[in-house]
Amino acid sequence: MPLNYVPTDDFPDFQTDSDLSMRTLSTPSPALICPPTLPGFQNGRGSSTSSSSVTGETVAMVHSPPPTRLTHPLIRLASRPQKELASIDRLPDHCMVQIFSFLPTNQLCRCARVCRRWYNLAWDPRLWRTIRLMGETINVDRALKVLTRRLCQDTPNVCLMLETVIVSGCRRLTDRGLYTIAQCCPELRRLEVSGCYNISNEAVFDVVSLCPNLEHLDVSGCSKVTCISLTREASIKLSPLHGKQISIRYLDMTDCFVLEDEGLHTIAAHCTQLTHLYLRRCVRLTDEGLRYLVIYCTSIKELSVSDCRFVSDFGLREIAKLESRLRYLSIAHCGRVTDVGIRYVAKYCSKLRYLNARGCEGITDHGVEYLAKNCTKLKSLDIGKCPLVSDTGLECLALNCFNLKRLSLKSCESITGQGLQIVAANCFDLQMLNVQDCEVSVEALRFVKRHCKRCVIEHTNPAFF
């Protein structure tokens, strides 16, 4: 047996829950945050063999820092030449920290098990401003508990360095995991839990109440979330001057199917600082909900109500009250929107840069003309699947919106090559043109390519390549 051999029993691959108290000498294993179906988290040429799975579940494990190699103090291994340091070990600490900053959470935990130096560098506070976990089989609740406990070792029960938590697509995340974040991370600024459909309103309320600096919240696909509000306890503690406001500026509630007008009313009343709001496929919302939104949230710059089938021209009249602050608007597949609603938006939102009106079949050349003459700084427009828009509307668009960069005309039956040529002759900065399922000639497409050299054309004409 070599003199420098270290028995594996002295450094077990995992410990029991009772060993979690040794927070200062523990590192979460990558097996904690890697899918159990893999033989080990693959990283380059090697793979970890410390992953353990029980009944298909990722098991939380905690590891001690790697030991220093042990040799007998009186014996020198003269027969073996001294090994040179690996190239990466010659790098100074600040370079290593910079390299580690590009690694996701699971690989960073794995690096902490390489050697004692890497252990100390991997737990540099600057590397733990963000936790990113992804995967359907990850035991996220346990992972967050272990990680936050390790990060709280210098400031008991409080993790002051963590600002971003991204656990998108982790379907096993529950209210318990969010409660851990709320209790331990008061400086949290960004939280993304998209696709985690097991979380409820109560858990979200805890986070927004105990994390006063939270600005970015993504709960898209969380079907149980019906509104965003402070907890009753937090509301009682606030002074009357503070009110019931939440500092969230970015809110994505895409695919929150149970969100209704009353829930949107609650959101608007509490999140008055909203600048970005995405309500895609919130199918129960109506024009009444948009009225509440405009009353309280007057700073909105980007708004999406795509596939909200009950939104009509009356809703766009309310949205138009945002006036010049509105820069981005998506009303795709809102079948009740017509030229009347477009006129409202065009008249008051003159600084609009992006409009997605795909599938709004009530829009005609008159609506496009009014939009082009009032929103001359428009850069992106999607009017695909609007069969009543023809070359007449395109001509007006080309003669007024010279800064147009992206234009989608997919499945516009009345568009011909003549309209495309007018656009290409006036909008030299065009970078993307979608004419799929449009009856346009190869000559027209070549004309666009000659005049807009940086333009990428999406088409279905096999003769053009």
Side-chain angles (χ1 to χ4, degrees), residues 131-136 138 140 165-171 173 191-196 218 220:
I131 289 179
R132 184 188 299 270
L133 303 173
M134 295 184 182
E136 297 183 1
I138 297 176
V140 187
V165 174
I166 301 175
V167 288
S168 302
C170 298
R171 297 184 177 182
L173 176 70
L191 175 63
E192 295 185 14
V193 291
S194 61
C196 304
D218 184 351
S220 57

Side-chain angles (χ1 to χ4, degrees), residues 60 72 87 122 149 163 204 245 264 298 328 334 345 373 408:
H72 197 283
S87 299
R149 180 176 294 183
E163 297 181 353
V204 176
Q245 297 182 7
L264 187 57
T298 58
Y328 172 108
C334 294
V345 173
K373 291 182 178 179
S408 178

